[in-house]
Amino acid sequence: MKKLFAVIGDPIAHSMSPAMHNDLFQTYGVDAHYQPLHVKRDSLKEALIGLKAIGIAGFNVTVPHKETIIPLLDKLDPLAEAIGAVNTVVNEDGEFVGYNTDGSGYLQGLLTQWPTIKGKNILIIGAGGAARAIYFTLAQAGVKRLDICNRTIQKAEELINDCPFHVPSAAIGKEEAEINLSDYHLLIQTTPMGMAPNIDSLPLSLHKLQTDALVSDIIYNPLETKILREARNKGAKIQNGLDMFVYQGALAFEKWTGIFPNIERMKNIVLNQLGG
Ligand code: NAP
């Protein structure tokens, strides 16, 4: 019988995941279908009961459910537990098991552009759910320094204190980050600044950016945000959020099927969805 997979979230209509995963099921001959499901914040518990009753094989979790789903799952992968967020669920013999592939998806995508992360000074801009997954993953990967610049400094401090993996870190504000920007080899932009409706906003000034730095934005729509455009104009290397998106999806697909899929194929599907 055809297996059912899904992505749950609110809003969900514009998710690129159904096109990406349905193409992969067809490509790899997996008899399955991936469905976007609109699940509102206060309907999550009932939705999970329904999904279990119909025997869903697995699903992705997006805003606003990544954190609130945790107490409703049967088991949790230790990294997802440490991060405090789940983006992938696998139905393992009738039990819903939660994983987080955002951080490892980000790291795998980063390594395709920037093979050496050891010994590097990194600044993460933002301290939300995505920043948390990326911080925990990079802290484990052994970078030299991992600072966080956030509008609400207290949230950055909490994130650093919550992380079980030690790395030299400071929670800083925008002004301090701008003054010391030349210290960083990599900037990772994780706020929604640069995405509609804030397409003309910059999270911080790049005045002191090193010209050989890499600026990585996890937004992929638009493919080039204002911060990436400014970094490119300064001669720095840039990376958009498409790599993270396809790698987190590839890692979820691997958990569901045992197959690690073709990344270029996934990128092309998303680029087609974005209008070429
Ligand atoms: P989130 O948990 O809501 O966190 C948002 C972060 O951005 C917070 O640190 C927040 O600061 C900051 N922020 C929001 N608006 C701001 C503003 N106007 N000025 C300054 N800072 C602002 O969101 P998230 O889940 O981490 O997602 C963040 C972004 O990543 C979204 O654009 C999402 O689409 C993207 N994303 C991409 C991928 C991918 O696969 N490429 C995966 C996940 C997420 P405060 O703490 O001060 O509120």
Side-chain angles (χ1 to χ4, degrees):
M1 202 173 69
K2 200 180 266 303
K3 286 184 174 174
L4 180 66
F5 293 86
V7 55
I8 61 168
D10 178 23
I12 203 62
H14 299 294
S15 171
M16 306 278 162
S17 296
M20 198 167 74
H21 286 289
N22 282 324
D23 174 78
L24 293 178
F25 288 139
Q26 202 177 358
T27 303
Y28 293 100
V30 180
D31 188 18
H33 175 74
Y34 186 107
Q35 181 68 30
L37 296 174
H38 186 195
V39 175
K40 292 197 171 160
R41 197 181 282 276
D42 54 8
S43 310
L44 181 61
K45 192 172 175 187
E46 289 73 20
L48 291 186
I49 292 169
L51 291 174
K52 196 176 264 187
I54 61 170
I56 195 162
F59 55 98
N60 284 128
V61 184
T62 188
V63 176
H65 304 308
K66 284 185 176 184
E67 290 92 16
T68 48
I69 196 169
I70 286 182
L72 304 172
L73 295 171
D74 300 305
K75 281 187 191 156
L76 211 48
D77 170 71
L79 182 61
E81 185 171 17
I83 293 170
V86 160
N87 77 329
T88 301
V89 174
V90 184
N91 185 340
E92 294 179 9
D93 301 322
E95 290 192 313
F96 282 171
V97 186
Y99 296 89
N100 189 310
T101 68
D102 278 337
S104 39
Y106 177 78
L107 180 58
Q108 290 206 16
L110 177 67
L111 293 174
T112 64
Q113 303 255 343
W114 212 59
T116 318
I117 57 164
K118 289 216 182 329
K120 303 291 186 184
N121 294 331
I122 299 173
L123 178 68
I124 298 179
I125 308 165
R132 222 177 146 82
I134 292 170
Y135 181 92
F136 280 42
T137 308
L138 292 180
Q140 245 186 326
V143 301
K144 185 174 170 197
R145 179 158 199 95
L146 193 52
D147 291 343
I148 305 179
C149 163
N150 195 42
R151 177 175 64 179
T152 315
I153 295 191
Q154 193 196 342
K155 250 178 94 179
E157 285 167 349
E158 283 167 13
L159 197 171
I160 291 169
N161 290 335
D162 286 348
C163 182
F165 317 110
H166 178 71
V167 59
S169 290
I172 58 176
K174 184 177 159 186
E175 288 71 27
E176 192 178 346
E178 287 173 345
I179 291 167
N180 297 314
L181 209 61
S182 59
D183 292 348
Y184 299 104
H185 304 106
L186 167 64
L187 261 57
I188 307 171
Q189 196 308 107
T190 73
T191 78
M193 298 183 83
M195 204 167 72
N198 305 314
I199 51 168
D200 283 324
S201 57
L202 263 187
L204 46 73
S205 156
L206 295 187
H207 186 62
K208 295 203 172 168
L209 182 73
Q210 282 186 29
T211 50
D212 59 351
L214 170 66
V215 178
S216 165
D217 195 329
I218 68 167
I219 292 171
Y220 58 91
N221 188 12
L223 287 166
E224 189 173 87
T225 52
K226 187 166 184 188
I227 193 172
L228 291 189
R229 195 157 55 247
E230 294 217 349
R232 182 168 54 78
N233 288 339
K234 283 176 129 329
K237 283 204 289 186
I238 59 171
Q239 179 184 40
N240 62 36
L242 184 57
D243 285 311
M244 174 176 177
F245 181 67
V246 296
Y247 274 100
Q248 64 75 31
L251 292 166
F253 189 82
E254 187 181 32
K255 289 197 182 301
W256 295 328
T257 64
I259 301 165
F260 191 83
N262 182 301
I263 293 292
E264 287 311 310
R265 184 175 182 95
M266 297 173 78
K267 276 191 192 174
N268 286 333
I269 294 286
V270 179
L271 288 172
N272 276 339
Q273 293 283 308
L274 290 171

